[in-house]
């Protein structure tokens, strides 16, 4: 890698955070030659769209959450012409959904009966009222209970004491509530809401706008970002093994020049640099904490990485010859009548993993196929990843036959699913603030190194969704974190952000 003067900057990871940082740096002539080292053969990371079933499916990120002017992903997508008229409309941008998913259009119970949508709406209203109430504990140093799950259960127990009606009706209410707990696990990317810390939960911020999708696939966004970079910026199939810092590294081609950072790759290649922006997922960092940094990270930073939560949410797409749902159906909920959020059941993975599946979205936009997208979080989701496609298809066919009460329901034609926990360069889906951690840990993770000011500054910088205190787990949080770190570097070098200086 030849030097053309000016700081040499490397970015590790070509997801939206890494691409955002690279875009910002490449817009600046004084940063001569940034490179993005990406472990896999493609850019986008957890933004991943695949052509399948005669359309596009989102294996990773699905929606722009809060698509309105304050959302940089929305802005960028609009700039690249990737959104339709409806997504761009003022009306869409002004919707305040409060971050709550839409209500199901059909709710099937495990006995084969359908659940009254009025009952579902009542339980949804109770559940989301309680979710909204978690904000009461924002920044509270001594919340009454440690987790969101504990709080929800305490309040539900309280309310259930005054429910009238027979035992079966009460049991059904709890079973419907359990389905909302499972849904919230998907939203938070966690095994259980008992793992999600109560006090910081309300720090996650919602933007206005009705969540929308990319008609041509989310990955169109990261593809456009890559296309905007000079050709040799992206280096694919370059898994980084260790980031050496606080060093004095040299390069044969540049005798006399020393670099404080050396990025060593799995294939043995070594890249000296002044600065490296690390954007690898928190799941990868957790797994490789002991070997990824040399010298190791300061204790508090390593502790923050251990403490912040990072769980699994997966999607299972099922393709049907003919729909068994009504034409206007958008969301199908599945309710297991023997389940209750008030009973702690150890997960029975082998026999009952599918009970964690929350139901399905009916996907629009396929030519001749009819496609459902199921969501499943937690340990059951991770177990599902170990099964074969045939096993998943067989189990879900049985589930659908049971809940629709139709033992002859034709099996899906094919299945496609994500496996984010097994993905070696991700190891899960997204982060959450776990019991035992706070928003300060996300800020701590975002702090550059070294922290002491005695060495060359900003050797290792950190971006990625887990480093954004209020927008963690989202694409816009990741994008903003990439810009943040690029701007931090430009600031160090006294370069004006967003206004490339003309070359003299
Ligand atoms: C199933 C699912 C659904 C989601 N739904 C939504 C949604 O609807 N809306 C939303 O806003 N967000 C959603 N998200 C979250 C969103 O996808 C992420 O927050 C965002 O894409 C993260 O971007 P990132 O750049 O921080 O990380 P990533 O996209 O994970 O990028 C990190 C990159 O680093 C690379 N890498 C890892 N290790 C190394 C290494 N050692 N050397 C070199 N490269 C390495 C990886 O290959 C990857 O390309 C979803 C995520 C999942 C998994």
């Amino acid at each position: 890698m030849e030097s053309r003067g000016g700081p040499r900057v490397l970015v590790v990871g070509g997801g939206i955070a890494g691409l955002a940082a690279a875009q910002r740096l490449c817009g600046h002539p004084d940063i001569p030659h940034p490179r993005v080292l990406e472990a896999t053969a493609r850019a986008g990371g957890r933004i991943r769209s695949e052509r399948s079933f005669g359309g596009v499916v989102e294996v990773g990120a699905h929606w722009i959450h809060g698509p309105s002017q304050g959302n940089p992903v929305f802005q960028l997508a609009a700039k690249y012409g990737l959104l339709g008229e409806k997504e761009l409309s003022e009306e869409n941008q002004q919707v305040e959904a409060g971050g709550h998913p839409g209500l199901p259009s059909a709710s099937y119970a495990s006995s084969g009966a359908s659940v009254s949508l009025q009952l579902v709406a009542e339980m949804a209203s109770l559940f989301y009222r309680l979710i909204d109430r978690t904000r009461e504990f924002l920044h509270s140093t001594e919340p009454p209970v440690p987790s969101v799950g504990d709080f929800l259960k305490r309040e539900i127990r309280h309310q259930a004491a005054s429910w009238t009606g027979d035992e079966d009706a009460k049991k059904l209410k709890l079973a419907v509530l359990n389905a909302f707990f499972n849904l919230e696990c998907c939203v938070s990317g966690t095994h259980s809401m008992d793992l999600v810390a109560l006090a910081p939960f309300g720090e996650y911020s919602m933007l206005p706008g009705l969540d929308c999708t990319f008609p041509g696939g989310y990955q169109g966004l990261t593809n456009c970002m890559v296309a905007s970079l000079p050709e040799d910026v992206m280096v694919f199939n370059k898994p980084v093994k260790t980031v050496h810092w606080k060093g004095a590294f040299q390069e044969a081609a540049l005798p006399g020049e020393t670099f404080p950072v050396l990025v060593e790759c799995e294939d043995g290649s070594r890249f000296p640099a002044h600065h490296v922006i690390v954007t690898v997922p928190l799941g990868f960092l957790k797994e490789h904490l002991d070997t990824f940094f040399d010298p190791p990270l300061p204790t508090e930073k390593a502790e923050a990485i251990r403490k912040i939560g990072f769980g699994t949410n997966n999607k299972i797409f099922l393709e049907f010859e003919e729909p068994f749902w009504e034409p206007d159906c958008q969301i199908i909920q599945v309710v297991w009548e023997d389940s209750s959020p008030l009973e702690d059941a150890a997960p029975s993975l082998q026999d009952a993993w599918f009970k964690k599946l929350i139901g399905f979205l009916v996907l629009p936009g396929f030519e001749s196929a009819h496609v459902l997208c199921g969501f499943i979080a937690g340990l059951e989701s991770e177990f599902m990843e170990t099964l074969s496609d045939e096993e998943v298809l067989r189990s879900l066919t049985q589930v659908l036959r049971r809940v629709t009460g139709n033992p002859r329901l034709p099996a899906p034609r094919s299945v496609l699913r994500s496996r984010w926990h097994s993905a070696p360069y991700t190891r899960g889906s997204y982060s959450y603030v776990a019991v035992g951690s706070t928003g300060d840990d996300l800020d701590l993770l975002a702090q550059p190194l070294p922290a002491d000011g005695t060495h060359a500054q900003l050797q290792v910088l950190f971006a990625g969704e887990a480093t954004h205190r209020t927008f963690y787990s989202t694409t816009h949080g990741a994008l903003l974190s990439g810009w943040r770190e690029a701007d931090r570097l430009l600031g160090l070098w006294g370069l004006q952000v967003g206004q490339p200086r003309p070359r003299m």
Side-chain angles (χ1 to χ4, degrees):
M1 203 196 279
E2 98 279 29
S3 168
R4 296 178 210 153
R8 192 184 283 176
V9 184
L10 294 171
V11 177
V12 181
I16 192 167
L19 297 175
Q23 240 185 357
R24 199 74 142 207
L25 296 170
C26 285
H28 220 293
D30 295 299
I31 307 280
H33 199 173
R35 289 275 176 103
V36 178
L37 306 180
E38 164 55 45
T40 69
R42 57 174 283 282
R46 281 169 275 171
I47 293 177
R48 179 177 192 126
S49 315
E50 280 184 16
R51 300 223 142 259
S52 208
F53 316 125
V56 178
V57 295
E58 303 294 2
V59 178
H62 206 105
W63 294 277
I64 303 180
H65 290 307
S68 49
Q69 293 309 321
N71 185 326
V73 166
F74 174 74
Q75 293 249 6
L76 206 54
K79 186 182 112 181
Y80 287 134
L82 301 173
L83 299 176
E85 224 168 274
K86 187 168 161 285
E87 291 82 25
L88 292 168
S89 69
E90 280 298 322
E91 196 191 344
N92 232 62
Q93 290 184 50
Q94 279 162 9
V95 174
E96 295 272 2
H100 305 322
L103 287 178
S105 349
S107 178
Y108 292 109
S110 44
S111 61
S114 34
V115 184
S116 127
L117 289 180
Q118 194 192 331
L119 176 73
V120 173
E122 274 169 36
M123 292 304 106
S125 152
L126 165 60
F127 186 81
Y128 290 117
R129 249 192 344 262
L130 294 177
I131 286 281
D132 291 342
R133 275 191 49 204
T134 59
R135 283 181 189 274
E136 290 169 17
F137 308 102
L138 190 57
H139 305 307
S140 128
T141 43
E142 279 187 48
V145 286
S147 73
V148 175
D150 289 324
F151 170 72
L152 296 173
K153 287 188 287 187
R154 187 186 78 171
E155 295 301 311
I156 288 169
R157 205 170 277 122
H158 187 70
Q159 301 242 350
S162 59
W163 285 345
T164 52
D166 61 26
E167 279 310 305
D168 283 351
K170 287 186 196 171
K171 274 188 75 176
L172 185 59
K173 282 184 175 178
L174 288 171
V176 172
L177 283 169
N178 201 61
F180 285 105
F181 270 75
N182 288 343
L183 171 59
E184 202 58 31
C185 286
C186 291
V187 172
S188 285
T190 183
H191 173 64
S192 160
M193 293 312 288
D194 294 356
L195 302 174
V196 182
L198 177 59
F201 189 61
E203 263 192 278
Y204 175 86
S205 303
M206 259 89 64
L207 295 165
L210 185 65
D211 287 3
C212 70
T213 55
F214 287 73
Y218 224 123
Q219 205 179 296
L221 178 68
T222 42
N223 289 349
C224 283
M225 292 172 84
V226 171
S228 78
L229 299 172
E231 220 170 66
D232 54 357
V233 170
M234 295 301 301
V235 187
F236 292 107
N237 301 307
K238 266 292 174 218
V240 168
K241 185 178 169 200
T242 304
V243 173
H244 303 271
W245 56 296
K246 277 192 182 171
F249 302 100
Q250 299 196 333
E251 192 171 56
L254 288 170
E257 186 153 3
T258 60
F259 299 87
V261 177
L262 180 78
V263 173
E264 180 189 349
C265 297
E266 291 286 352
D267 65 5
S269 49
R270 296 152 80 87
F271 297 86
H274 295 100
H275 310 282
V276 56
I277 304 180
V278 173
T279 76
V280 303
L282 180 62
F284 179 91
L285 274 185
K286 281 177 183 281
E287 188 175 44
H288 298 275
L289 192 52
D290 294 341
T291 51
F292 200 63
F293 297 97
D294 170 36
L297 296 180
T299 316
E300 327 85 83
K301 181 106 158 175
E303 264 311 291
I305 290 172
R306 285 193 198 98
K307 286 195 299 193
I308 304 169
F310 195 79
T312 303
N313 177 27
N314 274 310
K315 300 183 184 175
I316 307 177
F317 299 94
L318 298 177
E319 182 202 21
F320 292 84
E321 205 97 35
E322 294 297 334
F324 63 83
W325 53 92
E326 298 294 321
D328 57 353
C329 179
Q330 293 179 355
I331 302 175
I332 299 172
Q333 182 184 50
V334 174
V335 172
W336 293 89
E337 282 151 305
D338 54 353
S339 69
S340 160
L342 304 183
E343 282 160 32
D344 283 330
S348 167
L349 300 178
Q350 185 71 50
D351 303 328
W353 63 268
F354 44 80
K355 289 190 180 177
K356 194 72 168 275
L357 185 94
I358 59 168
F360 302 91
L361 277 185
V362 179
L363 295 189
F366 291 87
E367 279 160 18
S368 57
H370 304 277
V371 182
L372 295 182
C373 172
F375 291 82
I376 181 167
L379 294 174
E380 293 84 351
S381 189
E382 292 167 15
F383 178 78
M384 178 279 294
E385 294 188 22
T386 66
L387 301 173
S388 67
D389 279 355
E390 292 68 35
E391 284 169 307
V392 171
L393 196 132
R394 198 177 325 119
S395 292
L396 293 191
T397 303
Q398 278 167 7
V399 168
L400 286 171
R401 286 179 178 164
R402 179 171 169 176
V403 301
T404 57
N406 176 5
R408 280 183 293 280
L409 188 87
R413 198 151 60 176
S414 63
V415 63
L416 174 82
R417 66 218 155 103
S418 61
R419 269 173 278 192
W420 288 105
H421 184 254
S422 326
Y425 298 109
T426 316
R427 306 299 278 139
S429 296
Y430 34 86
S431 50
Y432 62 94
V433 184
V435 171
S437 67
T438 69
D440 288 349
D441 290 309
L442 276 67
D443 283 346
L444 227 163
L445 180 57
Q447 281 309 304
L449 296 171
D452 56 19
T454 55
H455 298 81
Q457 289 302 286
L458 305 188
Q459 294 176 27
V460 191
L461 302 97
F462 294 82
E465 55 85 14
T467 69
H468 199 287
R469 183 164 183 147
T470 56
F471 291 147
Y472 57 86
S473 81
T474 66
T475 55
H476 51 283
L479 178 82
L480 286 170
S481 74
W483 284 346
R484 179 192 69 214
E485 296 312 311
D487 290 348
R488 200 194 292 274
L489 269 184
L490 295 175
L492 176 77
W493 288 82
L495 307 174
Q496 266 194 330
V497 172
Q499 288 181 345
R501 248 192 355 220
R503 269 186 197 283
M504 301 308 280

